[in-house]
Amino acid sequence: ARLSLTGEIVNLSSSSSESSSSGAVRILSGSSAGAVSGDILIGSGDSSNDKAGDVTVAAGSSATDGASVSIEAGASLAKDVTAVGGAVSLKGGNGPVGGSADISGGAGTIGAGGNVRIAGGESSRVSGVGGSVTIEGGAARGDMNGGAVSVKGGDSTDAVGGFLELSSGGSLMADSGSGKIFTADSER
């Protein structure tokens, strides 16, 4: 079956409520028992003469805690150790000047600002290796400089600035991880 909604403006919304929870909106593709299940594509249209439309995914505000936004790839239920869970890709658009990708914690209007945590996945198998985290500047071609990587604690106007800590991982049964900081070789 196919559902098509067209028009200058198309609204898909749940019912509002004054005294209880508002209605939910679910967008799901069909399940499949023997092949690939359906994809879901949410995107704006292209434009040949002006800026293309933006896509915004935003959770609702609240008088108490704000609503969360969760983006999670699908798990793999296979028993094969080579099966991989789905990936999540967050990338700025290509162009004469590439688009940026920003990840930031929310600003605190009264208290502390929100944290940002980037972590590799844990391994639940005794022989499995934990996931790595790689942060690197972009490569450049020709006589242009490669992209820089900056790691910096936060500034403060009236108190102590944020500290910077780099540490290797500990171990219960073996040596802790080593630490290395080095510059790359030059062919010149």
Side-chain angles (χ1 to χ4, degrees):
R2 179 176 180 178
L3 172 64
S4 179
L5 301 176
T6 60
E8 185 175 342
I9 298 177
V10 175
N11 290 321
L12 180 63
S13 63
S14 65
S15 59
S16 300
S17 175
E18 296 292 336
S19 58
S20 62
S21 299
S22 62
V25 175
R26 301 182 69 188
I27 302 176
L28 301 172
S29 67
S31 300
S32 174
V36 178
S37 63
D39 296 328
I40 294 179
L41 172 63
I42 300 176
S44 64
D46 297 331
S47 174
S48 58
N49 297 318
D50 205 338
K51 182 178 181 291
D54 296 325
V55 175
T56 301
V57 179
S61 301
S62 171
T64 56
D65 294 337
S68 300
V69 173
S70 177
I71 300 175
E72 179 178 345
S76 172
L77 303 179
K79 302 300 183 182
D80 184 356
V81 295
T82 62
V84 180
V88 174
S89 177
L90 177 64
K91 177 180 179 292
N94 297 332
V97 176
S100 299
D102 295 328
I103 302 176
S104 62
T109 57
I110 299 177
N115 298 323
V116 174
R117 181 174 183 264
I118 302 175
E122 297 180 359
S123 173
S124 59
R125 294 175 58 89
V126 175
S127 59
V129 178
S132 301
V133 175
T134 301
I135 301 175
E136 63 180 38
R141 299 180 183 276
D143 58 354
M144 304 301 291
N145 295 332
V149 174
S150 176
V151 180
K152 177 180 178 295
D155 297 328
S156 174
T157 56
D158 298 318
V160 178
F163 67 92
L164 176 64
E165 177 179 342
L166 299 175
S167 69
S168 63
S171 173
L172 294 177
M173 303 296 292
D175 295 337
S176 62
S178 60
K180 293 182 179 180
I181 299 177
F182 56 89
T183 60
D185 295 332
S186 173
E187 297 181 1
R188 295 184 59 184

